[in-house]
Structures are given as structure tokens and as C-alpha cells.
Amino acid sequence: MNKRILKNDFLQIEYMTDALRITGLTPTGKPNLLVDLGDFSVPTSYGDYYFRGGHRLWHAPEAMPRTYIPDTGDLKITDQPDGVILEAQTESGTGIRKRIEIRLAPDRPAVTLTHTLINDGLWPVELAPWAITQFRLDGTLIMPMPVGNADEAGLLSNRQISLWPYARINDPRLKLGDDFILFKADALLPPFKLGYFNPHGWLAYWLDGVLFRKTFGAQAGLSYPDNNSNAEMYCNNQFVELESLAPLARLKPGDSAKHVETWDIFHELDPLPKDIQQALTGS
């Protein structure tokens, strides 16, 4: 595996040159937050798909083998003054080309990622850009929930949670609150996955004294995959994922769809609401 590094005084980003993957997110003085999965893979009719660990770009809704078409191969790499643009080869079978632009802030531990899906095929495709970040276990995932009325009279529902077939509703790692959900990323089985519409547009992970927060768009009234989920999480006995999704888009040949995430790193819990800080610290 060939890798390169972007860094400033606060943060180091490691990315691959032969697969569209960010494999390192290392705050100064701390270990890599992202998980390394080695050669872990799943077989498909197009060949083995390697997860590798770290951050990747998929297109939703998930399906086999469409989502899992192998992405190993030389990238088109364009260096920028403050980052790099990574572009994979067009996927065989789907005609979709993936691109990630990485912009590292010069004065703080922050990164902006612009994810792009381009339809190089011969027919329209409906999809949603789907940004997935895999972390090491043993931290706590923070998911803010919708609050307030959905209508003036307060008669309509304001929260909806999607659970996958293997997820246990009484999973001991899950703590449901009115304003937020916490999930302790312990190595238990079976796996757990949850999705919902997150109007706040952020998810966070607290690990080894470091708070990671990703922010993203939340466009009410548009259609998202997985029962209208723009935010999802997944955990198994190897890693935990923070996932954000753009709205579904119908791409004609030559069209593209973009999805932007901003990553921020903190060494305290102050950016979180006070009630979440208290739940995390027990104070």
C-alpha cells in the first residue's frame, strides 16, 4: 500500500495512492484515531472488496454487489496549496467515478472533505453520496436528536429511528435520551446499526481524551436513503463507524452529486452541550 501525508502543526492526515481511502487521522501527541483493518475483505462478483479501515466514499442505498465494487487501483492525484484531490477510476458495473477533495486548515486541527460522485455511465442513476469514517473501539459515539415540535400544535412526530435487522433494541451499549443518543463502542456482538434524520448536522466520537466531530448538511424536506436518514452509525467487534449521507439525487450521464463534511478535533468536551458533557463524565 502506497501512502502520503498532509499535516499542519495540529494534525496529520494519511491517505492512500492506490485506493480511495484516508487511513490516518492523528492529532499531535495522540495515536491515530482511525482503525486499521489490514486485509479484511468481502468477496463480490467483481472481486474482493477491501475495507482497509479509515474513511471512504460509498453511494447509497447499500446493495450487493453494487456498493462493494473493488476500488483498488491508481488514483488521479492533484496537489493543492492546502490539500489534495483524489479521484478513483470509473467503477466497472456502475459507471460511477468517485472523488474526494481534502482541505487541511492551516491554523487549527480541522479538515474539510468534499465528496463527489460522477455518473460516467450511459443511463441515469439514483444515488446518494455516503461518507463513512471507521474509528478504533473503546470510545463513545454522540448523536444529537431532533428537539421541539414538528408542527405548531405539537401533534406530529418529530423523531424517527431506523434499526437494521441484526441490531438489538436492548443492546447494552446504547443509551437513548430525549435530546441525544450515546453509544459505547465496545467489542460486542451482534453488530449494531442505527440511522435517523439529524437536523443538527453533526456527529461526534470521544476517544482517548480526543473529541472528533464531523459536520454535514441537513436538508429537511428532501429524500434521504434508509427511511430518510442523513446520519448513521455502525459498530461491530472490530470498529465503529460515523456515517453521513447527502440527499438522494438522480444523476443523468455526466452529472455529479457532492457532499461536504468538516472534521474538527478538540481535546476537551466544551464544544458539546452541557447535558451531553455531564452524561459522558457522570458529573
Side-chain angles (χ1 to χ4, degrees), residues 4 26 35 54 58-59 93 99 115 124 130 152 154 157 163 203 209 224 232 247 265 278:
R4 294 182 185 176
T26 308
V35 71
W58 269 4
H59 38 100
R99 179 192 301 149
H115 308 83
W130 182 11
E152 186 175 346
S157 64
L163 295 174
L203 295 169
Y224 288 85
E232 298 178 353
I265 298 292
Q278 293 170 358

Side-chain angles (χ1 to χ4, degrees), residues 17 30 41 139 149 201:
T17 62
K30 294 287 186 176
S41 64
N149 292 344

Side-chain angles (χ1 to χ4, degrees), residues 3-21:
K3 297 182 180 180
R4 294 182 185 176
I5 288 174
L6 293 171
K7 63 180 179 179
N8 60 17
D9 292 339
F10 312 93
L11 191 63
Q12 177 174 295
I13 301 291
E14 180 184 74
Y15 61 91
M16 299 180 64
T17 62
D18 51 3
L20 194 63
R21 203 77 85 249

